[in-house]
Amino acid sequence: MTDLLTRLTAMLDDLDSDVDETIDLADEIAASGDAGLLPRLQAELDRALAERNAYARELLGGVLAAIGGPEILPALIRASAVDLGDDQDGLATEIVDLVQADPKTSRDLLQPLTHDDDLAVANRADWALRFLP
C-alpha cells in the first residue's frame, strides 16, 4: 500500500496527472483502511498545506477521513483552517460526515479546539460542531 501512496503523492505533485486516475487511486487507498498509512498521510497533508496545494489537501483529507475516522477530525479542522482560496467543498463534506457518524467522539475532539490560540482553527471547530445531530 505504501507504493500506492508514493504513486498518489507523485500524481498530486504532477500538474499533468490524469484527475480521474488520481481520484481512483486515492479511493483505492482509502478503501484499504490501512491505519499504518496515517502518519505518512498526515505528513503529506502538512506538505500540501505548506505548498498551498488545495487539490492535494482535498484528496488527502478524504483519504485521512476514510482511514482515520472521527479521530482524525483535529487534523482535518487544522487543515481546513488554512485559507488556500478554494471552496473546500470536499473537505467540508468529509468533516460533516465524520461529525454526524460519531457525535460523542466528535464533540470530545472538537470542543477543545474551539478555544485554540489560532482563531481560524477555533472558528472551524465551532462551525463543525454545528453539524452535531
Side-chain angles (χ1 to χ4, degrees), residues 63-87:
V63 175
L64 276 162
I67 295 175
E71 298 294 328
I72 205 71
L73 275 168
L76 296 181
I77 291 294
R78 290 188 184 286
S80 178
V82 178
D83 183 4
L84 299 181
D86 60 325
D87 62 16

Side-chain angles (χ1 to χ4, degrees), residues 101-115:
D102 189 342
K104 182 187 178 335
T105 299
S106 297
R107 181 179 285 108
D108 292 347
L109 292 169
L110 294 173
Q111 192 61 47
L113 291 177
T114 64
H115 303 290

Side-chain angles (χ1 to χ4, degrees), residues 34-51:
D34 185 352
L37 295 175
L38 288 172
R40 180 142 173 242
L41 285 163
Q42 179 64 58
E44 291 298 333
L45 178 61
D46 292 343
R47 184 172 69 91
L49 293 171
E51 294 175 359

Side-chain angles (χ1 to χ4, degrees), residues 3-75:
D3 292 337
L4 292 180
L5 184 52
T6 298
R7 188 168 149 226
L8 177 63
T9 57
M11 292 173 83
L12 291 171
D13 289 340
D14 181 0
L15 296 176
D16 295 324
S17 289
D18 181 83
V19 172
D20 291 331
E21 200 176 310
T22 305
I23 291 169
D24 288 345
L25 183 55
D27 289 345
E28 182 179 347
I29 295 168
S32 77
D34 185 352
L37 295 175
L38 288 172
R40 180 142 173 242
L41 285 163
Q42 179 64 58
E44 291 298 333
L45 178 61
D46 292 343
R47 184 172 69 91
L49 293 171
E51 294 175 359
R52 305 196 52 75
N53 185 337
Y55 175 58
R57 173 176 61 185
E58 290 281 315
L59 280 179
L60 293 168
V63 175
L64 276 162
I67 295 175
E71 298 294 328
I72 205 71
L73 275 168

